[in-house]
Amino acid sequence: MSGLTAAKEWQALSAHYQQMRPTSIAQLFHDDPARFEKFSLRLDGFCLDYSKNLLTGETVGLLLELARSRGLERLRDEMFSGALVNSTEKRPALHTALRQKNPPPEVQKTLSDMRVFSDAIRSGEWRGCGGKKITDIVNIGIGGSSLGPQLVTEALTAFHLPHLRAHFVSNVEASDLGNTLKTLSPETTVVIVVSKTFTTAETLQNAEQARAWFLERAARSDLDKHFVAISGNVDAARSFGIAANNVFPMWDWVGGRYSVWSAVGLTVMLMAGAEGFRQFLSGAAAMDDHFRSAPLERNMPVLMGLIGLWYRNFCDMPALACIPYHVGLRCLPAWLQQL
Amino acid sequence: MSGSGACLPGCSSYSFFQWLHQSPEPVPTDLIAVVKPVCGTRKQHLMLLSNVLAQSEALMMGQKNPSEPHRNFTGNRPTNVVLLDELTPYHLGLLLALYEHKIFVQGALWNINSFDQWGVELGKVMAKRIQSELENKRMGAHDSSTTWLMKHVLAILDRDVS
């Protein structure tokens, strides 16, 4: 924040708030019949109406001046180009590369490996240790390794196959896993262990419990058909008992909270199909293009971010509520909180 | 994510709407809805969407009632309304990427790194230490609250074992 509050653009917004303070949003609608057209945006069947906010064209102009003075466009372009925007860990943040039309070769290969696995499970060609088809997927992860895939899987229930169910276990509290496993049969279950380092304490604890549950009724050699890892640490996954072929990679340049677009989305692909996953990536790519190319004053993420800053820093409204009116988006608020 | 957030699945009759309408400080709110339903009747779905539109309007307009303060709604409470034509994978991709980039924008302005997670480390390190102390029943130096809580945990667990 240093320097930020002293900037002349910041001071201008402070002064502007004093002018805006006595105004009401309802009055702004009354004063300007074209208000909705000015303060709403559409993109591919997606609509953002931000007209019912305490702002005018002048407010937006001042916010954009602040954004420009802070180098927002340069910082945005640096993120997309793979600069080390994660400065404390000296890493790029290239989740956007996972969803671009022509992703890097390693991403393409991973997507293709995921598709082969997913198609085999969905078609029933992949058989469990008793020769039966897989009916249940258990995703074990924590934070972004759980919330992202869970949100997307639940939101896309309409696209699920009737014979396949997904379960998400992230809590280390034992009843989370226990309640899930007691309804399942090891012969028809695939467990996906999601951990970049394969050392995450909670995830490994749950994974070990799940393996013990499995080995009560199956042989260690059967793990190949039932345990999968999403991890950057192939060796650790292998010594856990997971076949090298069943390890899908995670990369340093994708943060956990932005990872649903990577192999961490395997459960999503299993449940919504490879084509569904492709469309999910392409929706995000469309937003990436919009964020990168739309002028700032017509740019959805820029405006939403700036409006949030306006309330937080100038209007003394530090809280934020996010309310999805769809049961499939039940996990959206939790996912947002971990972003 | 910015500030403290109330993030709850929506339906107008939840009591947190009382907070949204009548809290001393307004809480800017994102209302997110899907226009085309995948199931259910048209009537049922219109009921849902009516609630979304009504909340956005009501939070802005309020209703003055000086004689009965408990029924007074100040209004002037901001909302964003996000409408997805349908809940398809494509639309979901748009929605999630929108919020990812929104957070990036705020991080860029506030000079916050939106990609590291050092904030979770301290708790993890402390938890490891306390776990080892509890396993070995050898308490290190803690404040009196933590010390009591640790002893209490062990007392209850050991009582149940014996």
Side-chain angles (χ1 to χ4, degrees), chain A residues 85-89 257-258, chain B residues 112-119:
Chain A
V85 290
N86 178 354
S87 52
T88 60
E89 295 175 309
R257 66 193 87 163
Y258 299 88
Chain B
I112 292 171
N113 180 346
S114 302
F115 305 105
D116 66 9
Q117 49 175 1
W118 299 105

Side-chain angles (χ1 to χ4, degrees), chain A residues 1 4 23-26 29 43-50 52-53 66 70 72 75-76 79 85-89 93 95-96 99 152 155-156 158-159 257-258 261 276 279-280 282-284 286-288 291 300-302 304-306 308-309 311-313 316-326 329 332-333 335-337 339, chain B residues 1-12 16-17 19-20 25-34 38 48 51-53 55-57 60-61 76-106 108-111 113-118 124 128:
Chain A
M1 295 284 282
L4 178 60
T23 321
S24 73
I25 306 168
F29 271 94
L43 177 68
D44 295 349
F46 186 93
C47 166
L48 169 64
D49 172 11
Y50 61 101
K52 293 195 194 86
N53 279 294
L66 179 71
R70 301 296 289 183
L72 176 64
L75 292 165
R76 173 196 63 191
M79 175 180 74
V85 290
N86 178 354
S87 52
T88 60
E89 295 175 309
H95 46 291
T96 51
R99 51 215 194 193
V152 180
L156 300 178
F159 299 83
R257 66 193 87 163
Y258 299 88
W261 321 97
Q279 288 173 17
F280 174 59
S282 101
M287 184 56 73
D288 293 341
F291 179 44
M300 292 190 192
V302 170
M304 271 182 101
L306 290 175
L309 176 136
Y311 291 133
R312 176 86 176 81
N313 292 123
D316 200 22
M317 298 185 211
L320 173 70
C322 168
I323 304 180
Y325 278 74
H326 192 297
L329 297 175
L332 178 70
W335 177 83
L336 275 176
Q337 283 172 323
L339 261 186
Chain B
M1 186 156 175
S2 64
S4 55
C7 291
L8 301 152
C11 179
S12 299
F16 66 80
F17 271 97
W19 173 62
L20 293 180
E25 299 298 333
V27 181
T29 299
D30 291 354
L31 301 169
I32 300 165
V34 179
V38 286
L48 174 80
N51 272 285
V52 182
L53 306 186
Q55 287 296 353
S56 176
E57 192 173 21
M60 172 172 74
M61 299 305 293
N76 206 26
R77 290 160 189 264
T79 51
N80 286 314
V81 176
V82 175
L83 293 181
L84 286 66
D85 280 2
E86 297 174 76
L87 194 50
T88 64
Y90 184 86
H91 290 94
L92 193 64
L94 282 169
L95 178 70
L96 268 54
L98 168 64
Y99 275 106
E100 284 181 350
H101 292 320
K102 176 204 165 177
I103 299 302
F104 173 79
V105 166
Q106 296 188 325
L109 269 86
W110 284 326
N111 197 21
N113 180 346
S114 302
F115 305 105
D116 66 9
Q117 49 175 1
W118 299 105
K124 280 192 191 178
K128 263 192 189 159

